[in-house]
Amino acid sequence: DEVSFVPANRRDKDVATRVRMLPPGTVKLEETTEERYKGVVKRALKRSNKRSSTSGVSPTVNEGCIQLTLAEGEDPIEVTFREKDGSSAKESMATLRPHDVVEAAVTTDLRNNHKRATSIVIIERGVDPSEKREQGVVATIKDGFGFIRCAEREAQMFFHFSEVVAPSGADPLREGDEVEFTVKKKDGG
């Protein structure tokens, strides 16, 4: 519920007094641009597994950084992004990598003027000059993952759908589609 209140200090603690209900939509904490801006990922999200005393391992995600160009001729600005700042609620930004070209809106927190990229869409997968790109053909598609028959090696390569980058509205991958990819070793192996 949205409320208005008068802050007060009682016994060295900040408290809300004279609390009143407000109509929904009255309180505005963030403002998002309608304009969309093109940018480049400068820093990807970093995952770490920290032990929690109640639930064992819980992954934590830091903020990533995107350099956006707001207007032609102006210097780009750097804004943060979080895992859930994709263009839809189910789209994770955890697979964004440095050099990826993206399009995003800018959301400003009205309390502290912090800007972050939101509604992020990957336009083009950037290529890190140090990465070796390979090619192959999708051999098998399963529920949420698949295998690629590689052009340069005998082994088939596993991939998860979260790693597939395609323009918005593109057809889903199918067996027999030609693809380009980067091989990464699994963490810890």
Side-chain angles (χ1 to χ4, degrees), residues 144-174:
F145 66 94
F147 292 90
I148 299 168
R149 188 172 54 252
C150 303
E152 299 178 23
R153 58 175 86 203
E154 290 294 317
Q156 288 195 355
M157 208 54 56
F158 168 86
F159 70 94
H160 189 271
F161 284 0
S162 66
E163 290 290 338
V164 175
V165 178
S168 186
D171 291 334
L173 272 181
R174 293 186 297 262

Side-chain angles (χ1 to χ4, degrees), residues 28-96:
K28 195 172 181 183
L29 301 176
E30 295 181 330
E31 190 170 79
T32 302
T33 62
E34 289 184 25
E35 297 87 8
R36 300 196 49 81
Y37 305 101
K38 198 170 182 178
V40 176
V41 175
K42 293 296 178 187
R43 183 181 68 246
L45 296 171
K46 293 188 192 256
R47 287 192 169 276
S48 66
N49 288 327
K50 292 191 176 178
R51 292 246 171 233
S52 164
S53 58
T54 56
S55 64
V57 176
S58 64
T60 58
V61 180
N62 298 318
E63 291 182 321
C65 179
I66 296 175
Q67 190 174 60
L68 291 175
T69 302
L70 302 183
E72 190 106 8
E74 284 187 21
D75 288 337
I77 65 165
E78 289 191 355
V79 294
T80 60
F81 70 93
R82 297 182 228 147
E83 184 172 8
K84 299 296 182 191
D85 284 334
S87 61
S88 68
K90 63 182 180 180
E91 188 174 3
S92 168
M93 295 293 94
T95 62
L96 281 179

Side-chain angles (χ1 to χ4, degrees), residues 124-188:
E124 180 181 325
R125 192 55 104 175
V127 178
D128 181 339
S130 67
E131 285 185 345
K132 181 183 182 307
R133 303 289 290 167
E134 295 190 28
Q135 295 179 342
V137 175
V138 176
T140 308
I141 297 279
K142 300 285 185 186
D143 186 29
F145 66 94
F147 292 90
I148 299 168
R149 188 172 54 252
C150 303
E152 299 178 23
R153 58 175 86 203
E154 290 294 317
Q156 288 195 355
M157 208 54 56
F158 168 86
F159 70 94
H160 189 271
F161 284 0
S162 66
E163 290 290 338
V164 175
V165 178
S168 186
D171 291 334
L173 272 181
R174 293 186 297 262
E175 291 179 8
D177 284 349
E178 294 180 5
V179 294
E180 184 178 64
F181 58 94
T182 302
V183 177
K184 298 276 185 183
K185 290 190 184 231
K186 282 175 53 173
D187 291 338

